[in-house]
Amino acid sequence: MKAAMKALPLIALLAVALPPDAGAESPEEKGLAIAQEMDRRDRGWGDQRAKLAMILRNRQGQESRRAIRVSTLEVEGDGDRSLTVFDSPRDVKGSAFLSITHATKPDDQWLYLPALKRVKRISSANKSGPFMGSEFAYEDLTSQEVEKYRYKWLRDEALDGRKTMVVERYPEYEHSGYTRQIAWIDGEMWQVVRIEFHDRKDALLKTLTMKDYRQYAGRYWRPGLIHMVNHQNGKSTELRWSDYRFGTGLGERDFDRNALKRAR
Amino acid sequence: MANGRDARVRAGRAVPRLKTGACFRLRRVRVEPGVKQSRAVLAAATLLALAPSSGAVELSGHLAFEPRGFTQSPAHPGQNRHGLSLAVQPELHHAFDDGRQSLLFTPFLRLDTADDGRTHFDVRELLYQRVFEASELRIGIGRVFWGVTESRHLVDVVNQTDLVENVDREDKLGQPLVNLTLIRDWGTLDFFVLPGFRERTFPGREGRLRSEPFVDTDRATYESGAGRQRVDHAVRWSHAIGDFDVGVAHFHGTSREPRLRPLPVCADGRPALTSGCRPAGAVLAPRYDVVHRTSLDLQATRDAMLWKLEALHESGPGGSYLAWVAGFEYTWFGIDESGTDLGLLVEHLFDGRGGNAPQPLENDVFAGVRLALNDEAGTDFLAGVIADVEGDATTLSLEASRRIGERWKVELEARAWIGVEGDDPMFPLQRDDYVQLTLSRFF
């Protein structure tokens, strides 16, 4: 009841943001409309750069760390492009990963191996595999285009004092490790604050929490802390984002195979 | 790295095709540097010292401790059953002008207790790089990689193989170069001017994994009158078109792969022909021809399947021939709960020179299995077999690697040659099955 009360202003907000017949829409239409609105609000940032510290914890609490830099280019009408450079662990220092994502067809991915100076095109079928031994799968870190999922609005509810919309989404792309994800979307920021991932057997696999959101360029919300807990193996991974920079003048040239070779 | 995809596929390969002959004592083989190493080091130090002060010089690299043991006693006098090696490769990098310009210096040193021919120094990189809007310029000593296959890097021609490092031929010597890269909508065009030839390194007389007779690098000869000073050229177009990554290249210059010719020598090691003594044995003398080489490398990435082709046509004083490596790599991602990947690699290796090819893989099949645990330590295994289609000669290899903490890595490598008959080019390796452990510290 209380949740419903809190959701009232949100419904008012939706009424403004969505077409007038929003009230008559099905849960599926409403879920899609929410995803589209999230996408619309996060458009126009152009390019961004950020640093990432990844902290892996096993069941015994032992930690290991990775330091990564990520640049991303927004592409209108298709998926974004991103370049990921590894600084640690030191044996993979200088390795880099180029991803040209697409809304509907499979992504294009290349890996740069500094020991051989080799650029290798790799299969993007590996959606569900662990990224750098962490609890994040490749599909968790890739560009979240609207077309990649089907949606269903479940309910509006309060989560940690925030008004959120709860939307279930079903991967439409091939090779996903999930049957469904339940996402909690903050009604003010229009950003995801929590996701529950259900594996191929529909058992709860992982929970993602995104915190310490800050607004950049007066408009774009980005999390400072992302925490993924795997309920099945007891491990967790924390992502600490820092040094977000927007509109740094990156272009397509900074996201091709030549750029990958000299990324370091 | 992620998925252990960086696990360099190191299929076992053998030293070049050999002629049989007796073994003779010779003076120690000196490693002949192809560039003036001391001058290169001085130039690097000067460049980095003069580098604009904005931004610091970044130091990284690794130090490797490498014991190696052979399963059988040596075939030749002076060879050892065990060896211990220490290798260091620091890397100094300095970027300035908002990252548009950079200087890179990567020296390499190996000290080996068992083989003087393996103890060597090389400047892997000493490179100035400038990036423009749609072009890039590199001047200095560098390393360039071309190709897509795993069992053999057929089309990768710019750098010379540093064969004493590993029989898998993946280690390369630094190459003096000027490289202009043009980046256009229709692809990337690379122009190379390559002044200064690097000679291939070979194990010394007392080293294992050598030919019989051994290769005397002091006896190298060249087709070009300019010898090592000949300036070679190469051009390459490469592009990614949909699922295809394609590269077409042409190289004109001194072949990186020498023909090995038996040279009669006196009892004291001097060439018999010029010293007029009675020949008491032979060494192999490298002969470097000037060749025209046109190559194609192609990969089609279809879901979890990677189709791969490297092919070349080469013509030189010995005529012309075709060679190729063609095959696939298929990966089953996430075969268990923890996300282990299983990869299968199959490639056919062909060399139109057949029995006259200066390398043993003239008609062979490579099959490999790769297991990547995708764990926190990046644990990886790769087992491979290369089998001769027409004979019984088979090379087996096993590689495994695992990270320990943030800065250490341990690698295991084993190779064995089986079914190798007396007339097989790999025969000299039949007693050289080995196991090698590498413990590396990264800094």
Side-chain angles (χ1 to χ4, degrees):
Chain A
M1 194 61 191
K2 205 170 180 184
M5 294 283 285
K6 282 197 174 179
L8 276 176
L10 179 69
I11 291 162
L13 189 70
L14 282 172
V16 177
L18 303 173
D21 62 350
E25 65 193 349
S26 68
E28 287 79 12
E29 285 166 338
K30 190 169 174 181
L32 177 64
I34 292 168
Q36 285 167 338
E37 180 61 12
M38 287 169 70
D39 183 61
R40 193 189 66 78
R41 284 173 180 253
D42 200 52
R43 235 178 264 164
W45 45 267
D47 68 86
Q48 70 171 53
R49 298 191 210 196
K51 286 183 183 168
L52 175 61
M54 187 180 260
I55 301 151
L56 282 58
R57 289 191 187 90
N58 67 12
R59 203 186 280 270
Q60 290 75 37
Q62 285 169 321
E63 287 188 1
S64 75
R65 287 165 181 267
R66 284 107 177 74
I68 298 164
R69 284 167 288 143
V70 187
S71 316
T72 316
L73 181 73
E74 186 181 28
V75 177
E76 295 283 338
D78 200 358
D80 298 338
R81 294 182 171 206
S82 74
L83 187 66
T84 307
V85 184
F86 300 90
D87 291 324
S88 82
R90 298 298 272 189
D91 64 310
V92 297
K93 184 187 186 299
S95 301
F97 176 63
L98 171 67
S99 171
I100 298 183
T101 65
H102 301 292
T104 44
K105 58 179 187 141
D107 300 342
D108 300 325
Q109 298 177 344
W110 289 265
L111 196 61
Y112 176 64
L113 311 170
L116 292 180
K117 309 286 170 191
R118 178 176 181 179
V119 171
K120 187 179 178 182
R121 174 84 166 259
I122 56 173
S123 169
S124 62
N126 184 19
K127 297 282 184 210
S128 58
F131 178 82
M132 297 283 289
S134 74
E135 296 315 307
F136 284 84
Y138 282 84
E139 62 187 308
D140 303 338
L141 296 164
T142 185
S143 172
Q144 301 287 322
E145 306 304 319
V146 173
E147 296 83 353
K148 291 203 166 186
Y149 301 91
R150 274 186 306 116
Y151 302 86
K152 184 181 172 187
W153 170 80
L154 297 181
R155 60 190 179 271
D156 291 340
E157 72 177 25
L159 180 74
D160 302 329
R162 293 168 183 271
K163 299 169 207 118
T164 62
M165 299 164 273
V166 187
V167 174
E168 197 162 61
R169 54 188 197 185
Y170 315 92
E172 284 282 85
Y173 50 88
E174 280 187 284
H175 311 298
S176 176
Y178 312 122
T179 46
R180 59 191 176 107
Q181 303 174 0
I182 304 169
W184 278 257
I185 295 139
D186 183 282
E188 278 171 33
M189 298 187 296
W190 287 80
Q191 287 283 346
V192 168
V193 288
R194 176 189 165 101
I195 303 175
E196 284 178 4
F197 297 89
H198 292 258
D199 68 13
R200 287 181 186 135
K201 294 170 198 144
D202 204 25
L204 178 63
L205 176 63
K206 304 187 290 192
T207 300
L208 179 81
T209 322
M210 300 169 103
K211 285 182 189 160
D212 299 347
Y213 269 98
R214 275 181 57 191
Q215 203 169 23
Y216 296 86
R219 195 165 160 202
Y220 308 108
W221 290 95
R222 293 291 179 270
L225 188 71
I226 303 180
H227 196 224
M228 181 76 92
V229 178
N230 187 319
H231 304 291
Q232 295 183 5
N233 65 16
K235 296 182 187 175
S236 68
T237 301
E238 197 176 296
L239 305 183
R240 288 186 190 159
W241 290 91
S242 63
D243 300 310
Y244 275 113
R245 287 185 292 157
F246 286 83
T248 61
L250 296 174
E252 283 202 6
R253 250 303 261 124
D254 300 292
F255 297 88
D256 63 18
R257 295 181 303 162
N258 296 293
L260 183 62
K261 272 194 263 188
R262 56 184 166 76
R264 53 187 317 132
Chain B
M1 213 193 62
N3 267 347
R5 281 162 170 155
D6 68 332
R8 285 162 286 161
V9 175
R10 288 181 178 156
R13 256 145 301 163
V15 297
R17 178 167 287 269
L18 314 156
K19 306 281 187 291
T20 48
C23 163
F24 280 83
R25 290 207 155 263
L26 278 181
R27 63 189 170 79
R28 292 206 157 165
V29 176
R30 165 171 64 92
V31 174
E32 182 71 26
V35 285
K36 297 279 181 284
Q37 304 281 13
S38 54
R39 259 195 244 165
V41 175
L42 197 67
T46 313
L47 275 174
L48 289 168
L50 294 176
S53 54
S54 59
V57 174
E58 190 195 350
L59 172 70
S60 56
H62 69 269
L63 184 74
F65 174 76
E66 209 172 86
R68 178 159 80 178
F70 294 86
T71 57
Q72 298 183 68
S73 59
H76 308 295
Q79 290 184 326
N80 290 301
R81 186 82 189 256
H82 310 284
L84 185 61
S85 223
L86 197 68
V88 59
Q89 183 171 298
E91 183 179 297
L92 285 161
H93 180 251
H94 176 74
F96 54 102
D97 186 17
D98 205 19
R100 284 187 287 269
Q101 300 186 61
S102 66
L103 290 166
L104 178 64
F105 177 43
T106 315
F108 170 82
L109 175 70
R110 175 178 297 281
L111 302 171
D112 193 274
T113 59
D115 179 8
D116 285 348
R118 255 195 127 204
T119 293
H120 67 302
F121 174 76
D122 184 46
V123 175
R124 295 292 201 229
E125 288 164 302
L126 172 53
L127 203 60
Y128 165 75
Q129 176 175 267
R130 170 126 203 203
V131 179
F132 301 94
E133 185 57 34
S135 60
E136 295 173 10
L137 178 67
R138 277 168 281 273
I139 302 171
I141 297 168
R143 166 82 173 106
V144 175
F145 182 90
W146 299 347
V148 293
T149 56
E150 307 295 338
S151 57
R152 187 179 174 206
H153 301 309
L154 182 71
V155 307
D156 185 29
V157 76
V158 173
N159 293 75
Q160 178 59 277
T161 299
D162 193 359
L163 189 63
V164 297
E165 278 299 293
N166 197 310
V167 289
D168 72 2
R169 302 175 184 219
E170 283 199 337
D171 293 278
K172 299 286 173 173
L173 297 169
Q175 171 65 45
L177 56 81
V178 177
N179 169 212
L180 176 68
T181 305
L182 301 180
I183 297 136
R184 301 288 183 265
D185 292 340
W186 39 264
T188 298
L189 202 53
D190 273 294
F191 296 94
F192 295 89
V193 177
L194 309 166
F197 179 75
R198 304 298 313 278
E199 285 182 0
R200 181 166 294 190
T201 61
F202 289 94
R205 188 172 55 83
E206 295 182 347
R208 301 287 294 251
L209 300 163
R210 74 156 164 88
S211 57
E212 175 49 41
F214 83 103
V215 177
D216 185 350
T217 51
D218 285 345
R219 308 286 172 218
T221 57
Y222 293 83
E223 183 194 345
S224 167
R228 284 204 298 261
Q229 271 65 54
R230 189 185 190 284
V231 178
D232 300 338
H233 297 90
V235 58
R236 183 172 194 256
W237 168 78
S238 58
H239 200 29
I241 309 162
D243 293 342
F244 293 90
D245 283 45
V246 59
V248 177
H250 187 80
F251 168 83
H252 179 222
T254 300
S255 172
R256 274 49 185 153
E257 184 167 67
R259 284 185 290 136
L260 299 173
R261 305 193 297 190
L263 182 75
V265 290
C266 316
D268 64 0
R270 289 177 300 140
L273 287 174
T274 50
S275 23
C277 68
R278 203 165 60 87
V283 296
L284 291 179
R287 170 69 178 183
Y288 292 98
D289 296 327
V290 174
V291 297
H292 276 280
R293 169 194 261 241
T294 306
S295 68
L296 167 74
D297 56 89
L298 184 66
Q299 180 176 313
T301 306
R302 296 284 172 89
D303 211 48
M305 176 68 100
L306 315 180
W307 294 101
K308 301 172 179 200
L309 170 68
E310 290 189 21
L312 65 79
H313 177 268
E314 188 176 281
S315 57
S320 65
Y321 71 97
L322 275 173
W324 67 72
V325 182
F328 67 85
E329 176 175 352
Y330 186 85
T331 308
W332 288 271
F333 295 108
I335 55 165
D336 66 359
E337 295 285 304
S338 66
T340 300
D341 297 336
L342 177 68
L344 174 67
L345 302 109
V346 177
E347 289 176 358
H348 177 236
L349 302 98
F350 176 79
D351 188 319
R353 293 169 294 184
N356 295 321
Q359 58 88 23
L361 306 172
E362 82 282 3
N363 188 11
D364 292 67
V365 172
F366 161 74
V369 173
R370 173 155 52 202
L371 205 59
L373 299 195
N374 290 319
D375 56 349
E376 204 187 290
T379 313
D380 251 320
F381 300 91
L382 176 73
V385 178
I386 293 187
D388 193 331
V389 172
E390 291 148 32
D392 297 328
T394 304
T395 307
L396 301 176
S397 67
L398 175 71
E399 292 166 37
S401 78
R402 183 178 174 83
R403 186 164 43 237
I404 304 169
E406 312 273 301
R407 289 177 178 271
W408 295 88
K409 188 173 190 170
V410 62
E411 291 163 274
L412 181 81
E413 176 181 303
R415 282 186 218 287
W417 288 269
I418 56 171
V420 187
E421 301 299 328
D423 60 345
D424 193 278
M426 286 189 268
F427 182 70
L429 298 172
Q430 56 130 2
R431 296 181 72 83
D432 285 345
D433 300 350
Y434 71 90
V435 180
Q436 174 177 293
L437 192 74
T438 306
L439 181 64
S440 303
R441 159 88 187 176
F442 294 82
F443 54 86

